[in-house]
Amino acid sequence: MTAVANDLPTAGSPGCDWKMTVFELAIFLCVFRARRAARVEEICQVIGDWFECAVEPSSAAAPIEHMIANRWVAEENHGLRATEEGRTAARPLMNGIIRMLDQGTRLIDVALMMSVLRLTKGELDNGLRHF
């Protein structure tokens, strides 16, 4: 099996980290896009808006601890910042979501979603602004 574009690892290869959940991916993307270290309450508000439901900080506590333990995010100034390890874990997941949605459908709603996903993938591909 050959590697996909942008040197992303193939499924099952050592570079794919399947430990990151969808919820953790959302937390990571929120932290990654923040201009400063993001506080848990801010993260929960943003994610709640994305998923259209209330996200309590207590619900995010265990996933955030898991993310800190895996070094996907780091604590900084009473908040969280994204790490290179987190970017590495998130990239194949974002790529998978893009490929999953881009199955030849040419609907305008899908096209708009693809633009947003490709923007996020581009951000992950090009590294963190915080480094």
Side-chain angles (χ1 to χ4, degrees), residues 13 31 36 47 52 78 87 90-91 104 108 114 119 121:
S13 73
V31 171
R36 58 177 171 68
I47 294 171
E52 297 181 338
H78 306 290
R87 186 177 76 85
R91 286 182 69 223
I108 185 106
M114 292 302 298
L119 172 66
K121 181 181 180 302

Side-chain angles (χ1 to χ4, degrees), residues 63-118:
I64 288 172
E65 288 301 319
H66 182 247
M67 295 175 74
I68 291 170
N70 280 295
R71 299 187 324 219
W72 296 334
V73 295
E75 295 178 284
E76 180 181 282
N77 298 327
H78 306 290
L80 299 171
R81 67 171 176 79
T83 66
E84 186 65 25
E85 291 90 343
R87 186 177 76 85
T88 300
R91 286 182 69 223
L93 298 175
M94 281 304 303
N95 190 56
I97 291 169
I98 291 167
R99 289 177 183 272
M100 190 171 54
L101 291 175
D102 190 20
Q103 295 294 316
T105 306
R106 300 291 183 232
L107 300 173
I108 185 106
D109 294 310
V110 173
L112 292 173
M113 176 58 81
M114 292 302 298
S115 293
V116 171
L117 290 171
R118 283 199 174 103

Side-chain angles (χ1 to χ4, degrees), residues 4 6 37 41 44 79 86 101 121 126:
V4 294
N6 297 327
E41 295 79 13
C44 291
L101 291 175
K121 181 181 180 302
N126 293 319

Side-chain angles (χ1 to χ4, degrees), residues 5 16 29-30 43 63 67 88 100 105 114 120 127 129:
C16 288
L29 291 174
C30 179
I43 295 166
M67 295 175 74
T88 300
M100 190 171 54
T105 306
M114 292 302 298
T120 300
R129 296 178 296 255

